[in-house]
Amino acid sequence: MDISFAGKRALVTGAGKGIGRATALALARCGAKVTAVTRTQADLNSLVQECASITPVCVDLADWGATEAALQDVGPIDLLVNNAAFASLQPFLEVTPNQFDQSFNVNVKAVLHVSQIVGRGMKARGAGGSIVSVSSQASQCALRDHAVYCVTKAALDMLTKVMALELGPHQIRVNSVNPTVVMTDMGRLGWSDPEKAKTMTSRIPLGRFAEVEDVVNSILFLLSDKSNMTNGVTLPVDGGFLAC
Ligand code: NDP
């Protein structure tokens, strides 16, 4: 299945590393004009070195005002990928208010905010659009030491559905991908211990973690017109983890 994004303008958050970086590069390869948003300038420098057509925007998405300012001149966007997230693991009884606020600011509030900025433009232009948020299997299954992360992703799934409901009449589709573990920096944080990893892979029918490309391919599908009638879904990319 060939997917082309020629003539489309895309914005990817958390594009400095991991899934977001690979998504930004894949979108550019498929012909999109990509704006990459992240908070570490060195990552943006290396990204632009790798793909000169990408427009970099450096901002901490946890900061509402700074995000508003950074994105005000971003121009029309057809495709949005809400990928940036914060994960900090601890037992439920040790969760701090700071960890709670930081997680919700990036994983939920920034998604709402960036989607508002982009969605308003999509609605005003009347040409529709597609928004994909990167959620997690953790939105639907309790994971030890992941209390706050799980709750942010559960909130993100519901935000996806409400956005799909309200933006659908403007031909703006909103969906999420919900991956199992991927061995990025974030994945290594929770799952680099082989014993712990085995407890997870043993619960995945396909018996392995996802690759970055697995997630990117599902994001591209949901962004593209190949999924034109798909709206408000939370698509597992989990080898069957959530099915059992
Ligand atoms: P990485 O940690 O590899 O990359 C995350 C990217 O987001 C980094 O570039 C990071 O920048 C950026 N980012 C984080 N916080 C902010 C912020 N406040 N402002 C701007 N940019 C920010 O993560 P992954 O690629 O693994 O994760 C991508 C998405 O996939 C996330 O939504 C995550 O929850 C989800 N996911 C990941 C899984 C996994 O096992 N890896 C499993 C399921 C879902 P910096 O490095 O500078 O902080």
Side-chain angles (χ1 to χ4, degrees):
M1 182 169 60
D2 282 341
I3 292 180
S4 169
F5 293 112
K8 300 286 187 190
R9 296 146 302 193
L11 188 151
V12 181
T13 70
K17 300 184 176 79
I19 295 164
R21 186 183 182 99
T23 301
L25 290 168
L27 280 165
R29 276 197 303 276
C30 293
K33 180 79 190 81
V34 177
T35 298
V37 181
T38 194
R39 64 179 170 177
T40 300
Q41 186 62 48
D43 288 338
L44 288 170
N45 294 345
S46 67
L47 185 62
V48 172
Q49 235 166 28
E50 203 175 335
C51 180
S53 70
I54 290 180
T55 304
V57 174
C58 194
V59 68
D60 181 351
L61 293 161
D63 183 333
W64 184 283
T67 301
E68 189 87 33
L71 297 186
Q72 68 179 356
D73 295 326
V74 84
I77 298 292
D78 309 293
L79 312 168
L80 168 63
V81 182
N82 291 307
N83 164 79
F86 176 73
S88 151
L89 310 183
Q90 55 252 110
F92 167 71
L93 293 177
E94 291 167 28
V95 171
T96 64
N98 200 27
Q99 189 224 3
F100 186 94
D101 290 344
Q102 176 72 358
S103 302
F104 267 86
N105 276 343
V106 183
N107 302 8
V108 185
K109 203 167 160 190
V111 173
L112 181 144
H113 189 203
V114 175
S115 300
Q116 280 182 331
I117 294 169
V118 169
R120 284 183 190 125
M122 286 174 173
K123 180 183 166 189
R125 286 192 311 284
S130 182
I131 298 175
V132 176
S133 294
V134 184
S135 181
S136 169
Q137 65 182 11
S139 70
Q140 293 166 47
C141 180
L143 300 177
R144 189 170 298 281
D145 299 336
H146 282 67
V148 177
Y149 184 77
C150 283
V151 176
T152 62
K153 294 300 189 179
L156 179 57
D157 283 2
M158 187 46 78
L159 183 61
T160 295
K161 292 178 190 183
V162 177
M163 284 166 57
L165 175 68
E166 293 196 21
L167 301 181
H170 306 288
Q171 303 310 309
I172 302 166
R173 297 183 299 111
V174 187
N175 297 288
S176 75
V177 292
N178 293 50
T180 185
V181 176
V182 186
M183 276 304 182
T184 60
D185 285 359
M186 185 185 288
R188 280 185 281 276
L189 183 75
W191 306 99
S192 42
D193 169 16
E195 278 311 305
K196 207 172 159 199
K198 215 158 77 186
T199 61
M200 177 55 74
T201 49
S202 68
R203 293 170 64 190
I204 300 171
L206 291 184
R208 54 183 157 82
F209 291 153
E211 300 296 329
V212 168
E213 286 312 305
D214 297 325
V215 184
V216 172
N217 286 335
S218 294
I219 294 171
L220 297 188
F221 168 69
L222 288 174
L223 288 175
S224 78
D225 58 11
K226 308 293 184 197
S227 60
N228 255 349
M229 199 55 190
T230 303
N231 189 29
V233 308
T234 53
L235 178 69
V237 186
D238 66 349
F241 177 84
L242 288 172
C244 348

